[in-house]
Amino acid sequence: MFAIKGFTIFVICVLMIGIGISITLPYLALYCTEDLGMSAGAFGALTAVSSLSGVAANSFIGKRSDRKWDRKWIIMLATVSSALGYTSYAVFDNYYILLILVSFFSGLGAAAMPQIYAYAQESANESQYDDKTFAMSALRSLVSLGFLVGPLVSCLKRERFKNRNQAVPVRIPIIVS
C-alpha cells in the first residue's frame, strides 16, 4: 500500500479529518445551544443549511476537478476553508453571521474528503501496486478509525476542562487542525 505515491499523506489526512469531525460534532450542539444561546431548532437549521451547502459545493467542485482543476490545490483550499468554518464558531456569536460563514466555509471544506479519495485513486492507478482495491478500502476505513479515536480524545479533553465552558473542547481541535 505504501508503494502508492503519497499514500502516507493520504492516511494521515483521512485519519485527522475523521478524528477532527468526531471530536467537534458531539460538543458543537452543546456549545451552540448552551454557550451561544441558540435554540435546538436554530442549531438544526444551521446544521442543515451547512450540510446542503456541502452537497452543492461538492457537486460543483467534483465536476471541475475531474476535468481541469488540480486536486492538490482543491484539497488544500478545502481544508483551509473547513478550518475557517470551525474557527467561525470560536470568533462569532451572532446566529446569522454563523449561518452565512459556516455554511460557506464548511460547504467548501466538505470537498476535502472526496478529493482526497479521488487523488488517492489516481495515485493508486498510476502505481505498480497490485491490490489497489485493498489500499482504497483501507484508506476509507481510517475515517471509521478516526470516529473511534475522536470521541475518546474528546471525552478525555472534556474531563480535563470539566469546570470550564463548552468552548474549550470545540476550540482545541480547531487550533490542532
Side-chain angles (χ1 to χ4, degrees):
M1 282 189 298
F2 291 96
I4 297 170
K5 181 182 174 186
F7 196 77
T8 303
I9 293 171
F10 298 137
V11 165
I12 293 167
C13 288
V14 169
L15 188 58
M16 291 304 293
I17 288 173
I19 290 171
I21 291 169
S22 67
I23 285 175
T24 55
L25 285 184
Y27 292 110
L28 199 54
L30 292 174
Y31 174 68
C32 287
T33 56
E34 292 179 8
D35 287 359
L36 298 182
M38 283 184 204
S39 69
F43 178 72
L46 175 70
T47 304
V49 170
S50 178
S51 297
L52 289 173
S53 69
V55 170
N58 269 329
S59 299
F60 179 81
I61 292 170
K63 288 178 186 176
R64 280 139 188 89
S65 70
D66 289 340
R67 294 189 194 126
K68 57 185 171 186
W69 290 1
D70 184 8
R71 290 193 200 282
K72 287 181 191 178
W73 283 103
I74 294 171
I75 293 167
M76 287 188 287
L77 291 174
T79 53
V80 167
S81 182
S82 186
L84 290 172
Y86 279 109
T87 302
S88 298
Y89 288 109
V91 175
F92 301 102
D93 60 359
N94 180 286
Y95 176 76
Y96 295 104
I97 291 173
L98 283 173
L99 182 66
I100 292 167
L101 293 177
V102 169
S103 296
F104 178 76
F105 288 125
S106 295
L108 291 175
M113 187 72 78
Q115 291 300 315
I116 290 170
Y117 289 141
Y119 191 40
Q121 184 66 53
E122 288 174 356
S123 293
N125 290 341
E126 293 172 2
S127 76
Q128 302 299 318
Y129 185 66
D130 292 334
D131 200 356
K132 295 173 180 84
T133 304
F134 177 73
M136 294 307 298
S137 296
L139 189 63
R140 290 183 188 276
S141 69
L142 288 172
V143 175
S144 299
L145 179 61
F147 272 80
L148 290 172
V149 172
L152 173 64
V153 171
S154 183
C155 287
L156 292 174
K157 276 197 275 185
R158 175 78 173 130
E159 193 62 30
R160 177 166 166 77
F161 296 104
K162 195 175 194 174
N163 296 325
R164 299 186 188 143
N165 68 15
Q166 300 292 334
V168 174
V170 174
R171 289 181 182 154
I172 289 174
I174 291 169
I175 294 167
V176 171
S177 297

